[in-house]
Amino acid sequence: MTASQVRRVVWVHGDSLSVTDPALSACPDAPALFVFDRPFLQAVPVAFPRLAFMYQGVRDLAAHRPGPTELRVGAVPDELAAFAAAHHAAELHVTRNFTPDFARIVDGLRAARPDLRIIVHEPERLTSFNGPLRRFFGFWKKVEREVLHGEPAPDFPQRGHR
Amino acid sequence: MTDALRLPPDLPPNLPDDQLPRVLGEALTGLYTGEPRLPARAGGRTAGLAALHAWTGEGYAGRNFLSGNVSRLSMYLRHGMLGLREVAAHARAVMRGRERDEFLRQLTWAEFYRLVLRQEGARVLGNLEDPKYPARWTDTLPDDVRGASTGLPCADAWVTHLIRDGWLHNHERLWFAAYLVHWRGVDWRAGYALFREHLLDGDIANNALSWQWVASTFSNKPYFMNQENIDRYSGGRWCRTCRAACPFRASYGELETQLFGTQP
């Protein structure tokens, strides 16, 4: 099987509800899944309009991408594993977010499906800053030029990160 | 792996809005608070792009006033329906001068908080630093706060707006947070949980770190306001007709001593 024939699925989470999401952009034709996280929602109070807002986000991307988009309610690693199996997928693509839940879900999925290759796409960034952070003011001084003008200063990597 | 064969999916991805509360409400039974109803603003990239394209930034200099023109794009950014880069590019194209720079600076807070979350992980859900005053906070959100029945028209309005709209102006968020943490002595995490429950833009990074900024566990001093500040930036919305015993009616110096003790 060549790379172009590898069966892929995409995990769409609550930080990536757009057709421009890097994982979705990489796999426009692949089946995509959004899961309402049952254990999380059982433990954490969330008002209905927030969930409806997210549903509308999934609905919008489903209407704007060539591949199929599905929604399920359940435990996210379990649903992703089942979805990948149902589509005979060898790869699952997702865009990283920095929440602790993301790492937990990816670890859970790797444990449940060691044969499934998980491709994590990096989220879009506003700046190229990668140094340590403490206060916004110091951060702003480092990225100000880049944010205001849309591109890093020519000497940014050398001078700007430390 | 028997679940793998389960079909059809739990939810169709094409429910029209008029069916959405009923069908999604049934699918998520027991998994949400409040009544099933549509959000005050529609979700999705299409709606987000419409809001972005309608945003000219005119009047953003008055952003600290409740009547000021603010973008209300945060819920689209939070869910990735809009990207920080395209919002920044739009602002560079349509805004001018100091208003443009200020909008871009505010937008950069979202990136800053995401990067702090990347750096700190789950630690952002606890105090990142010691509070900068002798704080003795209780864990529980008082019933009168949750029920918008404190008797303070402003504080009750902040909670009402939060629950009704899933959105609050930044100044209302700051006032409410300062009221809850400093005046009522409630741990910021109780306020964080209330915001997480209702805010359409509520996420771990912005939400937890903004509360910590007010509480002084991620800033050099606690944020607080007085009645004059509320009156000015709300355009007198509550103060002009208010008959409550106002806990905010004092100078900043007096309130600082009252709330935080004598400052070094």
Side-chain angles (χ1 to χ4, degrees):
Chain A
M1 185 177 277
T2 66
S4 64
Q5 293 171 311
V6 170
R7 286 181 180 265
R8 304 160 151 186
V9 291
V10 182
W11 169 28
V12 181
H13 52 64
D15 296 66
S16 62
L17 297 175
S18 166
V19 286
T20 59
D21 169 67
L24 286 173
S25 297
C27 317
D29 299 313
L33 179 68
F34 177 88
V35 183
F36 282 105
D37 190 339
R38 181 185 296 280
F40 176 82
L41 293 173
Q42 282 171 333
V44 173
V46 176
F48 186 86
R50 286 203 60 173
L51 303 176
F53 189 83
M54 295 168 77
Y55 175 87
Q56 290 171 324
V58 179
R59 182 181 69 189
D60 192 70
L61 72 86
H64 288 91
R65 64 187 301 268
T69 305
E70 296 190 13
L71 290 115
R72 294 190 185 279
V73 184
V76 181
D78 296 350
E79 295 296 333
L80 291 174
F83 188 71
H87 289 281
H88 308 288
E91 285 183 1
L92 179 138
H93 288 246
V94 62
T95 301
R96 186 189 309 281
N97 67 43
F98 302 133
T99 66
D101 280 344
F102 179 83
R104 178 181 56 75
I105 289 165
V106 169
D107 288 347
L109 188 56
R110 284 204 167 107
R113 285 288 311 273
D115 56 317
L116 182 67
R117 194 164 167 239
I118 300 175
I119 313 289
V120 180
H121 297 257
E122 294 304 317
E124 180 191 89
R125 289 276 312 273
L126 181 61
T127 73
S128 54
F129 182 84
N130 274 316
L133 298 109
R134 179 167 152 79
R135 292 286 187 261
F136 178 77
F137 183 75
F139 173 69
W140 175 244
K141 285 291 144 199
K142 299 252 173 57
V143 303
E144 181 175 13
R145 183 185 168 111
E146 184 178 8
V147 173
L148 294 182
H149 301 289
E151 55 190 31
D155 60 348
F156 187 87
Q158 289 75 39
R159 210 174 65 180
H161 286 183
R162 299 288 170 194
Chain B
M1 214 46 73
T2 51
D3 274 359
L5 302 173
R6 187 187 59 199
L7 287 171
D10 294 343
L11 276 163
N14 57 355
L15 288 171
D17 276 351
D18 62 351
Q19 294 175 27
L20 197 166
R22 180 180 59 79
V23 179
L24 185 62
E26 287 172 5
L28 299 178
T29 298
L31 300 180
Y32 58 85
T33 65
E35 292 302 308
R37 59 184 170 89
L38 293 173
R41 279 210 147 184
R45 177 165 174 78
T46 302
L49 280 175
L52 178 65
H53 293 151
W55 168 248
T56 65
E58 191 176 345
Y60 190 69
R63 68 179 183 85
N64 285 328
F65 291 87
L66 299 194
S67 59
N69 187 20
V70 292
S71 73
R72 301 193 183 214
L73 296 174
S74 52
M75 62 278 276
Y76 299 109
L77 288 163
R78 180 261 175 269
H79 287 292
M81 296 166 186
L82 292 175
L84 287 170
R85 295 185 82 89
E86 65 188 334
V87 173
H90 177 82
R92 288 187 208 106
V94 304
M95 295 177 75
R96 294 287 176 268
R98 290 178 63 180
E99 285 191 338
R100 174 176 60 186
D101 291 359
E102 179 59 13
F103 179 83
L104 289 165
R105 198 173 73 93
Q106 292 302 319
L107 188 66
T108 303
W109 276 94
E111 166 108 336
F112 175 67
Y113 281 153
R114 286 180 195 179
L115 293 178
V116 173
L117 177 63
R118 182 176 74 169
Q119 174 177 291
E120 301 294 336
R123 285 188 296 274
V124 304
L125 296 171
N127 290 347
L128 284 173
E129 302 164 15
D130 289 333
K132 308 307 183 293
Y133 69 100
R136 286 180 296 277
W137 295 324
T138 59
D139 294 337
T140 314
L141 187 72
D143 287 343
D144 66 322
V145 173
R146 179 182 288 281
S149 58
T150 66
L152 300 175
C154 55
D156 293 344
W158 301 329
V159 174
T160 302
H161 294 170
L162 169 70
I163 293 172
R164 184 191 64 200
D165 301 334
W167 187 84
L168 283 177
H169 186 283
N170 187 51
H171 228 142
E172 289 183 291
R173 299 181 193 212
L174 293 174
W175 292 332
F176 177 74
Y179 169 63
L180 189 71
V181 175
H182 305 317
W183 272 269
R184 301 297 299 267
V186 176
D187 192 295
W188 63 266
R189 280 164 284 207
Y192 162 84
L194 181 70
F195 275 18
R196 180 189 55 201
E197 181 176 353
H198 294 287
L199 281 178
L200 298 178
D201 60 30
D203 64 358
I204 292 177
N206 268 290
N207 192 10
L209 292 165
S210 296
W211 277 92
Q212 298 219 47
W213 187 84
V214 169
S216 76
T217 54
F218 189 53
S219 62
N220 297 331
K221 57 178 192 273
Y223 168 86
F224 67 108
M225 72 290 176
N226 68 4
Q227 184 264 340
E228 193 180 339
N229 179 279
I230 296 169
D231 187 45
R232 176 171 183 229
Y233 287 101
S234 68
R237 185 177 298 184
W238 304 291
C239 301
R240 281 175 197 166
T241 54
C242 183
R243 299 286 174 268
C246 178
F248 315 121
R249 193 193 301 272
S251 71
Y252 275 101
E254 289 164 340
L255 289 174
E256 194 166 27
T257 302
Q258 173 199 321
L259 297 173
F260 311 122
T262 305
Q263 295 298 294

